[in-house]
């Protein structure tokens, strides 16, 4: 607590006792008001005396000798890291997650952002640094309850908040899927080996399907068996989302890797509009000839009609340079593999740049340079398959927003460390994903608020600064009272505290 002088409309100065322990300024008591300077000074003294008599946060008096200073230091009870709580708790509340009973969702979600570790280490951190009397089994039991009772409500809270910040309407959604591995040997009904996007093919894994809005705000998610074809995960998630919120019209944006002819047909049958990345090199011979005959210049687009949809093809010179650079890099990697003898006939397949490999004789592996040269004509071309009524430019612009979902997975894997997953039971695995979903939503809201405040900070930098903010608790032996002080020592700490009002 502290004493504040506030000028009234009448011109008089009110002396108030203010508390900001909850992260917001709250008037605890008004001592009085006056226009007279000497009387104002008296009111200020009375306010400070009131704080002393009622406990709470005070300013430390360091105008004392060495013995007294050492006595103060000897009576330090705790030095607690409070910055991430002060920064992220109001964000957690503003989204609406505080309506979920208990404080563990908030604590575990904030820890997933600031100290993303296993639940065992999270438990140790909470006990060691925040001095909460909690057991590991309480955390596990809460996770069971989270999965059983609150998974759907949490996704609804995120949806409603996203709907609000996007102006009340969500019509375009983006879907993608990733893999999350487990450091175990044995598989079960959920954790199975399959094609790993992380190159961990020997590890059992699950698939995580994520649905986000424009600007990458999370809307819904689900998990699937590790050996499931990723293209079969999209429609169950989107159908559930559409029915849950009674959305009549929905435009689905997804990458080409999720699409098959059956998927496209099902989207059309169910009345969805879609914007999909097209595999133009896998089109029919007739359509490929049409594409290559277009001779598009930089920034130009063309439309090729198809049954129930249209294929939009664009050309970019900068993309052409990137495509060539990537192919050359892939070629160099293959040449290195051949020289080392690591490549065998098992490597001859259509995955990535392996398509340039061929067998010579019975055992020799070489590079098909002719096939490599033939691909030059495709450099810079990008296709979009759609049945949407949006304009061609809008189609391309919306498809480009897919990078938000790629960023979402990158943040979840690298910053929030959603994997490897250490849980065994499905309900705990789902609860872990749920906590990570809440943490990512908070991360995105922090990002939005920083942008709204025109702050020269990334979410990562704001969190880094917040992690360096501590609270000092000193017990006064004579009275038994504890004095608390949030230590804002650097200019960046003070700037962050001022920006977010703590």
């Amino acid at each position: 607590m502290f004493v504040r002088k506030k000028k009234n409309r009448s011109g008089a100065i009110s002396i108030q006792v203010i508390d900001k322990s909850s992260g917001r300024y709250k008037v605890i008591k008004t001592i009085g008001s006056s226009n007279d300077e000497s009387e104002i000074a008296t009111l200020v003294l009375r306010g400070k005396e009131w704080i002393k008599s009622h406990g709470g946060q005070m300013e430390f008096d360091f105008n004392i000798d060495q013995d007294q200073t050492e006595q103060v230091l000897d009576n330090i009870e705790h030095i607690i890291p409070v910055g991430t709580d002060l920064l992220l708790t109001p964000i957690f509340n503003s989204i609406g997650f505080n309506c979920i009973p208990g404080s563990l969702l908030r604590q575990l979600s904030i820890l997933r952002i600031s100290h993303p570790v296993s639940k065992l280490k999270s438990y140790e951190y909470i006990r060691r640094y925040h001095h909460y009397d909690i057991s590991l089994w309480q955390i596990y039991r809460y996770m069971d309850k989270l999965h059983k009772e609150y998974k759907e409500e949490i996704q609804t809270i995120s949806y409603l908040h996203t709907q609000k910040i996007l102006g009340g309407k969500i019509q375009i959604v983006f879907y993608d899927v990733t893999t999350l591995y487990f450091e175990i040997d044995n598989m079960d009904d959920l954790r199975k080996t399959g094609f790993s996007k992380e190159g961990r093919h020997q590890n059992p894994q699950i698939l995580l399907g994520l649905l986000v809005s424009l600007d990458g705000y999370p809307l819904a998610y689900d998990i699937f068996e590790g050996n499931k074809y990723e293209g079969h995960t999209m429609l169950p998630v989107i159908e559930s989302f559409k029915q849950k919120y009674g959305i009549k019209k929905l435009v689905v944006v997804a990458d080409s890797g999720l699409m098959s002819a059956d998927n496209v047909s099902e989207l059309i049958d169910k009345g969805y509009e879609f914007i999909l990345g097209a595999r133009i090199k896998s089109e029919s011979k007739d359509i490929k000839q049409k594409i290559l005959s277009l001779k598009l210049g930089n920034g130009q687009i063309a439309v090729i009609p198809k049954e129930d949809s249209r294929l939009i093809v664009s050309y970019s010179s900068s993309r052409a340079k990137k495509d060539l650079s990537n192919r050359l890099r892939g070629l160099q990697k293959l040449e290195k593999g051949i020289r080392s003898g690591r490549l065998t006939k098992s490597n001859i397949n259509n995955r990535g740049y392996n398509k340039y490999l061929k067998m010579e004789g019975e055992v020799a592996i070489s590079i098909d340079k002719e096939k490599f040269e033939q691909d030059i004509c495709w450099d810079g071309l990008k296709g979009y398959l759609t049945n949407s009524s949006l304009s061609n430019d809008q189609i391309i612009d919306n498809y480009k927003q897919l990078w938000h979902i790629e960023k979402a997975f990158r943040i979840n894997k690298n910053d929030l460390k959603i994997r490897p997953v250490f849980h065994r039971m499905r309900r705990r695995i789902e609860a872990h994903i749920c906590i990570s979903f809440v943490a990512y939503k908070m991360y995105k809201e922090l990002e939005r608020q920083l942008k709204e405040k025109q702050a020269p900070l990334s979410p990562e930098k704001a969190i880094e600064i917040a992690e360096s903010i501590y609270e000092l608790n000193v017990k006064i032996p004579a009275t038994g009272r504890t004095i608390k002080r949030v230590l804002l020592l650097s200019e960046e700490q003070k700037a962050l505290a001022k920006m977010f009002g703590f």
Side-chain angles (χ1 to χ4, degrees):
M1 288 186 286
F2 63 93
V3 176
R4 179 174 74 178
K5 298 178 183 178
K6 184 179 180 182
K7 190 172 183 179
N8 300 326
R9 291 181 180 179
S10 64
I13 303 296
S14 286
I15 307 302
Q16 302 170 329
V17 175
I18 304 298
D19 176 72
K20 62 173 182 178
S21 59
S22 64
R24 295 182 179 181
Y25 290 91
K26 182 179 179 181
V27 178
I28 301 299
K29 183 176 179 62
T30 299
I31 304 299
S33 63
S34 177
N35 288 311
D36 183 80
E37 290 186 9
S38 61
E39 191 172 348
I40 290 171
T42 301
L43 291 172
V44 169
L45 290 174
R46 283 173 55 191
K48 290 181 178 180
E49 289 298 322
W50 188 92
I51 291 174
K52 289 179 182 179
S53 64
H54 288 77
Q57 185 170 316
M58 295 171 55
E59 295 287 335
F60 289 110
D61 181 9
F62 287 107
N63 188 25
I64 51 181
D65 60 29
Q66 182 175 338
D67 290 340
Q68 290 174 302
T69 301
E70 289 180 355
Q71 186 180 6
V72 170
L73 297 176
D74 287 341
N75 283 282
I76 293 175
E77 287 187 312
H78 304 299
I79 300 178
I80 306 170
V82 296
T84 49
D85 282 343
L86 293 173
L87 174 65
L88 297 174
T89 295
I91 287 175
F92 178 91
N93 295 343
S94 69
I95 294 168
F97 290 135
N98 57 327
C99 72
I100 304 296
S103 62
L104 270 177
L105 178 61
R106 176 182 59 81
Q107 293 173 25
L108 293 173
S109 301
I110 290 176
L111 276 179
R112 182 54 44 187
I113 294 173
S114 62
H115 292 85
V117 290
S118 68
K119 299 305 176 296
L120 173 59
K121 291 186 177 179
S122 295
Y123 151 75
E124 292 171 350
Y125 183 91
I126 290 171
R127 285 185 62 90
R128 181 177 297 121
Y129 294 106
H130 291 279
H131 311 286
Y132 293 139
D133 185 18
I134 190 172
S135 71
L136 179 60
W137 286 108
Q138 280 178 285
I139 292 178
Y140 286 146
R141 284 196 296 271
Y142 181 79
M143 290 178 69
D144 294 343
K145 187 173 184 179
L146 188 66
H147 166 255
K148 183 180 180 181
E149 300 181 17
Y150 302 122
K151 174 189 171 184
E152 294 302 321
E153 185 176 353
I154 281 168
Q155 292 182 71
T156 298
I157 290 168
S158 183
Y159 165 76
L160 292 174
H161 180 265
T162 298
Q163 185 184 50
K164 179 181 176 182
I165 62 179
L166 291 181
K169 201 172 187 181
I170 294 176
Q171 284 191 330
I172 299 176
V173 295
F174 302 80
Y175 182 80
D176 205 353
V177 65
T178 193
T179 55
L180 303 175
Y181 67 86
F182 294 75
E183 292 187 336
I184 57 170
D185 295 323
N186 299 324
M187 295 185 289
D188 55 31
D189 291 341
L190 176 65
R191 300 175 296 175
K192 298 181 179 181
T193 55
F195 177 74
S196 171
K197 293 176 181 284
E198 301 161 296
R200 305 289 293 244
H201 304 294
Q202 74 281 9
N203 293 88
Q205 64 181 21
I206 61 172
L207 300 185
L208 170 63
L210 180 64
L211 196 67
V212 306
S213 69
L214 289 167
D215 295 326
Y217 301 113
L219 298 170
Y221 70 92
D222 208 347
I223 64 171
F224 303 89
E225 297 83 0
N227 63 348
K228 193 177 185 72
Y229 167 53
E230 61 184 32
H232 292 160
T233 68
M234 183 177 73
L235 278 164
V237 174
I238 293 173
E239 276 286 279
S240 173
F241 175 79
K242 184 180 178 183
Q243 292 173 14
K244 184 176 181 179
Y245 303 113
I247 301 173
K248 294 182 179 180
K249 181 181 178 182
L250 207 57
V251 180
V252 180
V253 186
D255 193 25
S256 59
L258 292 169
M259 288 299 105
S260 64
D262 290 342
N263 272 358
V264 174
S265 296
E266 196 167 358
L267 283 171
I268 293 171
D269 291 344
K270 291 183 180 296
Y272 287 99
E273 290 190 13
F274 55 80
I275 302 170
L276 309 173
R279 294 173 172 172
I280 52 178
K281 286 189 277 187
S282 299
E283 290 285 351
S284 66
K285 184 177 180 181
D286 179 53
I287 289 184
K288 285 194 290 186
Q289 287 177 344
K290 288 181 180 179
I291 293 171
L292 295 178
S293 66
L294 292 170
K295 306 298 181 184
L296 297 175
N298 184 44
Q300 290 184 327
I301 64 173
V303 178
I304 299 174
K306 298 186 72 175
E307 186 179 355
D308 298 321
S309 63
R310 67 188 192 274
L311 179 64
I312 301 171
V313 181
S314 69
Y315 176 81
S316 165
S317 57
S318 61
R319 187 190 298 124
K321 291 178 183 176
K322 184 179 179 182
D323 289 345
L324 177 60
S325 175
N326 288 341
R327 286 190 303 108
L328 288 171
R329 190 162 56 248
L331 185 66
Q332 290 168 359
K333 188 176 180 180
L334 292 176
E335 290 172 338
K336 184 178 179 181
I338 289 175
R339 288 195 300 269
S340 68
R342 287 186 291 104
L343 295 180
T344 66
K345 63 180 181 180
S346 65
N347 296 104
I348 298 178
N349 52 54
N350 285 321
R351 291 181 181 173
Y353 300 111
N354 283 9
K355 65 184 178 181
Y356 299 134
L357 294 174
K358 66 179 181 178
M359 287 187 67
E360 292 183 340
E362 293 185 2
V363 294
I365 304 294
S366 66
I367 293 174
D368 189 338
K369 293 290 182 68
E370 184 179 348
K371 197 171 186 179
F372 177 86
E373 293 297 329
Q374 287 173 352
D375 269 354
I376 291 176
C377 61
W378 296 99
D379 287 349
L381 293 171
K382 176 67 179 175
Y384 312 87
L385 184 66
T386 185
N387 65 345
S388 174
S389 56
L390 296 172
S391 70
N392 295 334
D393 288 338
Q394 287 174 316
I395 298 294
I396 295 173
D397 287 343
N398 277 300
Y399 185 85
K400 287 179 179 178
Q401 288 240 5
L402 268 176
W403 71 268
H404 283 295
I405 203 165
E406 294 169 1
K407 180 183 177 183
F409 285 138
R410 187 170 65 251
I411 291 168
N412 273 284
K413 290 182 176 182
N414 298 335
D415 297 329
L416 306 182
K417 292 183 172 55
I418 194 173
R419 54 79 171 113
V421 185
F422 297 102
H423 299 288
R424 177 176 58 86
M425 292 177 282
R426 180 169 186 140
R427 65 180 187 272
R428 301 261 171 87
I429 294 169
E430 293 213 15
H432 169 74
I433 303 297
C434 185
I435 291 166
S436 299
F437 178 85
V438 171
Y440 178 64
K441 174 65 177 179
M442 292 166 64
Y443 178 98
K444 286 296 295 181
E445 178 59 11
L446 172 61
E447 181 181 65
R448 187 189 73 83
Q449 290 191 20
L450 285 167
K451 186 176 180 181
E452 191 176 67
K453 296 173 189 292
Q454 299 182 329
L457 295 174
S458 66
E460 294 88 351
K461 185 61 178 178
I463 292 163
E464 180 186 329
I465 295 169
E467 287 173 354
S468 69
I469 298 174
Y470 288 78
E471 180 184 88
L472 182 65
N473 294 359
V474 179
K475 188 173 183 178
I476 306 301
T479 63
R481 290 189 296 108
T482 297
I483 299 174
K484 300 179 180 181
R485 173 75 179 273
V486 176
L487 303 176
L488 301 174
L489 305 178
S490 69
E491 290 305 316
E492 61 182 10
Q493 289 174 345
K494 293 173 184 176
L496 186 70
K498 183 178 180 181
M499 191 183 304
F500 286 92
F502 62 82

